[in-house]
Amino acid sequence: MSGENLQELRANISWRKLLDAIFAIIGLLTILVAIITLLALIIRLAVDGTPRLNWQFFTSFPGRDPEEAGILSAWVGTSLVMLVTLVAAVPLGVASGIYLEEYAPKNWLSALIEVNVTNLAGVPSIIYGLLALGLFAEQLKLGESILTAGLTLALLVLPVIIVTTRESLRAIPNSIREAAYALGTTKWQMIWDHTLPYSMSGILTGIIIGLARAIGETAPLITIGALTFIAFLPEPPIKSQFPFISFEWLQAPFTVMPIQMFNWVSRPEPEFQFNAAAAGVILIAMTLVMNGIAIYLRYRFRRGIKW
């Protein structure tokens, strides 16, 4: 290589290093701006909402007086809707992921299903609300109920759970499967006793992250008819009389935390803005707790992996 070519190569390398440094600086500044903006918004929300956080705020219904209004119906509705979402989405999502990864033949049909499931994870939530309005509320006659809301959010998080389950199972080395088959196990025994326990950390992480997304959704629930104001609670799931379990609450009207926040923000009185900020603090705390549980479970399950 001649001296001129070597000098040109060094200049090219120096230029690329400079571009890399500029890109790294721009990326770092972008991340810092986003984090600082997010922290500023959270701090402002906490400063405005923390003084309203007391026992009365959790145990009172919404009302005209901002000092006495609370989020009782909102957090109860959120809890019941998320319970239906959990029961509907988790078994179906995990079972679908297991079938697509372990049982489905590797052909054009399974590839098409995989592409569609992945794309469904990015569909706007309002589309799920329109689908649920036509399917659950109108066709199946479930009405504007907690059951409809839970099934709607289950559809929303189902693609996330399926994709997470597949990726977690795919990360298990094939040597684990081959060792199980060598000992004479069936395919289901291999999945239940080996691959599923080893992949449980990733599956649980996907489930909790999906539920953390669902807990803050508003658009699909407004589409199916969630109430912006409700001053009563649904029937409790557990009763003191036989048969002790009631399903009447599934057909009850509902509201949730994000919709209650929207209701307060739309009021002209500034005191209601503080109530909305307090509800936002609680919603952020619930999301952080769910993500913290996901991190803890992932760490706990990964400690038992021996490969």
Side-chain angles (χ1 to χ4, degrees):
M1 181 178 294
S2 63
E4 183 178 352
N5 292 337
L6 183 59
Q7 186 177 3
E8 183 180 353
L9 179 61
R10 289 176 176 173
N12 189 18
I13 293 174
S14 300
W15 172 248
R16 291 181 180 275
K17 288 183 177 180
L18 178 62
L19 289 179
D20 289 341
I22 293 174
F23 181 78
I25 293 173
I26 293 175
L28 181 60
L29 291 176
T30 303
I31 294 174
L32 288 176
V33 169
I35 292 176
I36 292 173
T37 303
L38 179 61
L39 287 177
L41 292 174
I42 293 177
I43 292 173
R44 175 62 185 273
L45 196 70
V47 170
D48 291 342
T50 301
R52 289 288 293 118
L53 295 178
N54 51 47
W55 183 250
Q56 180 183 356
F57 188 70
F58 286 92
T59 57
S60 301
F61 289 104
R64 297 181 179 180
D65 186 358
E67 297 295 331
E68 298 181 359
I71 58 170
L72 178 60
S73 56
W75 73 259
V76 170
T78 297
S79 302
L80 295 178
V81 169
M82 294 307 298
L83 176 62
V84 175
T85 302
L86 180 69
V87 172
V90 173
L92 185 58
V94 174
S96 299
I98 292 174
Y99 173 78
L100 291 175
E101 187 61 31
E102 301 289 348
Y103 287 96
K106 306 303 179 183
N107 52 25
W108 66 270
L109 181 59
S110 60
L112 181 63
I113 294 174
E114 180 178 357
V115 170
N116 280 277
V117 169
T118 304
N119 290 335
L120 284 174
V123 172
S125 59
I126 187 66
I127 304 300
Y128 289 98
L130 295 173
L131 172 63
L133 179 63
L135 177 61
F136 298 137
E138 301 296 335
Q139 295 295 327
L140 299 182
K141 308 298 182 183
L142 298 180
E144 302 167 352
S145 61
I146 292 175
L147 180 59
T148 301
L151 293 178
T152 303
L153 296 182
L155 289 178
L156 181 67
V157 303
L158 195 58
V160 178
I161 297 176
I162 293 175
V163 172
T164 305
T165 301
R166 293 196 64 186
E167 293 298 329
S168 300
L169 292 172
R170 194 174 297 171
I172 306 301
N174 284 330
S175 58
I176 300 293
R177 298 176 173 86
E178 293 169 356
Y181 286 141
L183 294 175
T185 62
T186 63
K187 192 176 188 66
W188 174 245
Q189 287 175 330
M190 179 271 296
I191 295 172
W192 182 259
D193 293 329
H194 299 280
T195 58
L196 195 58
Y198 283 137
S199 61
M200 190 57 66
S201 62
I203 294 174
L204 288 176
T205 300
I207 290 171
I208 296 176
I209 290 176
L211 294 178
R213 176 195 173 185
I215 199 173
E217 287 292 342
T218 306
L221 300 183
I222 292 178
T223 305
I224 62 175
L227 301 177
T228 56
F229 177 82
I230 185 171
F232 58 88
L233 296 179
E235 292 291 330
I238 300 177
K239 292 187 175 182
S240 58
Q241 298 87 9
F242 184 84
F244 307 114
I245 298 178
S246 173
F247 295 100
E248 296 179 8
W249 57 275
L250 291 172
Q251 298 299 324
F254 70 97
T255 189
V256 291
M257 296 276 290
I259 295 179
Q260 184 62 66
M261 292 172 59
F262 172 77
N263 183 23
W264 280 334
V265 168
S266 62
R267 300 280 187 94
E269 297 88 344
E271 290 79 8
F272 281 111
Q273 312 298 321
F274 297 140
N275 286 3
V281 171
I282 297 170
L283 196 59
I284 291 176
M286 294 171 68
T287 305
L288 291 177
V289 168
M290 295 178 71
N291 283 275
I293 292 174
I295 294 172
Y296 170 76
L297 291 176
R298 183 170 64 246
Y299 169 75
R300 184 176 180 85
F301 277 98
R302 285 183 177 177
R303 285 194 308 173
I305 296 178
K306 303 301 182 182
W307 73 72

